[in-house]
Amino acid sequence: PTRRSSDLSSVISRIRDYEAAMNVWQKSPITGVGYNHIRYEKGVVDESHSGASFHSSFLIVLATTGIVGLILFVGILAQFSIVTPVAAYMTLFVAVYSLTDNIFLHPFILFFYTVLLAYEMTGKKK
């Protein structure tokens, strides 16, 4: 069977998005360009919120805060993952999923993750 170009359009869209994130990051690799500047650095003139972000949470952190912010972000995730085994699984799940989709920086996921992490931290002190 032959593949139609539409079968790969999602994959191609993601690759282009990752390339755009890397291009933005290269403009200021150490400290990043800042979150509110993504839209302008990407050259998006559309007023929707979709143009002001990237698909990967890690690429958003890299482009907006640079390598310094990414190192701190990964360091914080590593610290969270050593709280308890459950926290390690939660962090690993969210981190792996965040490589391909911006779920970690979504307010609901961030809130839910923080509440579960706090529960894990307080539950082990008893």
Side-chain angles (χ1 to χ4, degrees):
T2 59
R3 288 193 181 263
R4 297 174 301 183
S5 62
S6 63
D7 292 342
L8 298 176
S9 62
S10 178
V11 174
I12 293 168
S13 171
R14 293 282 174 139
I15 291 171
R16 286 184 182 145
D17 187 69
Y18 297 159
E19 288 173 347
M22 296 307 289
N23 289 335
V24 170
W25 171 66
Q26 289 174 351
K27 294 179 181 182
S28 184
I30 304 299
T31 58
V33 298
Y35 189 79
N36 291 331
H37 293 278
I38 292 175
R39 171 190 317 279
Y40 307 108
E41 296 296 332
K42 285 173 68 174
V44 175
V45 293
D46 184 14
E47 291 298 319
S48 73
H49 293 290
S50 65
S53 191
F54 299 107
H55 287 294
S56 169
S57 296
F58 288 96
L59 288 178
I60 292 171
V61 171
L62 180 64
T64 59
T65 63
I67 195 71
V68 172
L70 183 64
I71 290 170
L72 291 172
F73 182 67
V74 170
I76 289 169
L77 289 180
Q79 289 297 309
F80 288 162
S81 70
I82 62 172
V83 170
T84 65
V86 173
Y89 291 127
M90 287 184 335
T91 303
L92 181 63
F93 174 77
V94 172
V96 169
Y97 200 93
S98 291
L99 289 171
T100 59
D101 206 358
N102 179 22
I103 67 156
F104 194 82
L105 300 177
H106 189 278
F108 177 75
I109 299 296
L110 195 54
F111 174 76
F112 191 61
Y113 175 80
T114 306
V115 167
L116 288 176
L117 186 64
Y119 176 78
E120 281 296 309
M121 292 173 74
T122 58
K124 296 301 173 185
K125 290 183 180 180
K126 292 180 180 179

